[in-house]
Amino acid sequence: MKQSEIKQLSTAELQEKLSETKKSYADLKMAHTVSPLENPIQLRNVRRTVARLATELTNREVQ
């Protein structure tokens, strides 16, 4: 998910997307622990998406 897409979401949508993405990341990590993922770069991409969503939420709270 790109930063421009994230900025267009409402705060409620951001919180919902953040929880979904965190769950997805946890599932991917567990799957990778059990047996290696075909594309381990997915872990990095999802982790970075979580960071982007959290950063946008924090920026909105500060303003």
Side-chain angles (χ1 to χ4, degrees):
M1 183 167 240
K2 295 185 179 181
Q3 190 66 26
S4 59
E5 297 170 352
I6 292 173
K7 288 185 182 238
Q8 294 174 355
L9 298 174
S10 70
T11 304
E13 289 173 329
L14 273 176
Q15 290 171 339
E16 182 180 331
K17 197 74 151 161
L18 181 61
S19 65
E20 289 173 6
T21 309
K22 280 184 177 182
K23 183 180 180 334
S24 171
Y25 180 65
D27 293 342
L28 274 175
K29 274 182 62 173
M30 183 61 72
H32 186 62
T33 302
V34 173
S35 64
L37 291 175
E38 187 174 314
N39 184 7
I41 301 301
Q42 288 175 319
L43 287 170
R44 180 179 8 165
N45 292 339
V46 173
R47 187 175 63 238
R48 288 180 179 178
T49 300
V50 167
R52 284 186 189 106
L53 291 167
T55 301
E56 183 62 27
L57 272 175
T58 303
N59 287 343
R60 289 184 185 189
E61 289 174 2
V62 168
Q63 291 179 352

